[in-house]
Amino acid sequence: MNGPRLLEVADLRVRRGEREVIRRVSLGVDASERVALVGPNAAGKSTLLAAIAGLLAPAGGAVRMGGRSLSTFSPREIARAIALVVALQEGAPKLSVLESAELGRYPHTGPFQGLSGRDRDAVNKAIAETCLQELAHRTLGSLSAGERQRALIARALAQEPKALLLDEPSAHLDIGHGLDLFALLTTIAARGVAIVAVIHDLVAAARWASRMIVLHEGEIVDDGPPGEVMKGEALGRAFGVTAIEARSPGEAAASTWRFERRAGG
C-alpha cells in the first residue's frame, strides 16, 4: 500500500500507575474499515481506545493520523480527526438531542461563536443519519438507552471525524436496537470513516466487522478477517473457549457461532 494509513498505532505502551496496561501494540486502520476490538475483561481495550483518542499520554510509541504524530495535534485538531463514544455515557441530561449534537461542532467553531450554515448542515445531517429527527428537542435524560446511544453517536458524527472510536456501543441495548446500531455503523464506514469498536459480544463482532483484533493482557494476539480470528487459537486462549461455527446451508459465513469451555479454561 502506498502512503501512510489513515490511523496508525506504532509500538504503543500505556501505563496505569505502576502497571503497563498496553504493551508495544502496533496496528493500522484504513478509511472505511470496520474493526472490532475484542478481548477478555482487563485486556486493556478501553485503555487502548483512550490512548488512540489522545486522552492518555503513552509511555512509549506513537499514534499517527495520516502519518502525523498525534502528539503534534492541538486538542481541537484531535477532535476534528477522531471522535470517541463511550458506552452509555450520560452526557448532560438537560441538554436536548439537538443541543448535544451542536456540541460536536465545537472543534470547528471554538468557544463563544455561533454556528454557521455549514455547521448547522453537519448537525442536521448527523441527526438525520441517526434517525433522531423526531427526538431532536427531547432531553438526553428522557431518552431510552438505545436513543441516548444514538444521540451520542450523532454528536460524534457532527464532529465530522475521519476515525470513530466506540467503547462497547451495544452495551445494555436489546437485540433490535443492537442490530440497528451495527447497521448504522456500517453505513458510516461506507462513506470513508474508519471505525474501531470495542465489542463484548463475539458473535455480533464477527457479523459486523470487516476485521477483528484480539487483545489479551495488553498485547495483540490475533488480527484478521472475523472468520479466521474466531477459529483461531489465540482467541480460544484469550477467552478460554473454543468457537465452533454452526451454519445452515445457504447462510452467510460466520453467521452463527457457539462456544465450548476449554478443559482447564
Side-chain angles (χ1 to χ4, degrees), residues 88-135:
L88 289 183
Q89 177 184 348
E90 291 295 332
K94 293 185 179 180
L95 281 181
S96 70
V97 170
L98 177 61
E99 290 167 334
S100 175
E102 287 174 346
L103 290 178
R105 296 307 295 170
Y106 173 80
H108 300 271
T109 64
F112 313 117
Q113 294 183 26
L115 297 183
S116 67
R118 171 74 180 80
D119 295 320
R120 294 198 181 280
D121 285 345
V123 169
N124 290 335
K125 180 180 177 182
I127 288 176
E129 192 163 25
T130 50
C131 300
L132 289 169
Q133 299 96 317
E134 294 184 3
L135 303 177

Side-chain angles (χ1 to χ4, degrees), residues 192-210:
V193 178
I195 299 182
V196 181
V198 170
I199 301 177
H200 176 75
D201 184 334
L202 292 177
V203 174
R207 287 179 173 174
W208 169 76
S210 58

Side-chain angles (χ1 to χ4, degrees), residues 65-80:
M65 284 291 297
R68 178 184 166 195
S69 175
L70 214 64
S71 64
T72 68
F73 283 55
S74 70
R76 285 179 64 187
E77 286 178 314
I78 293 174
R80 287 196 292 266

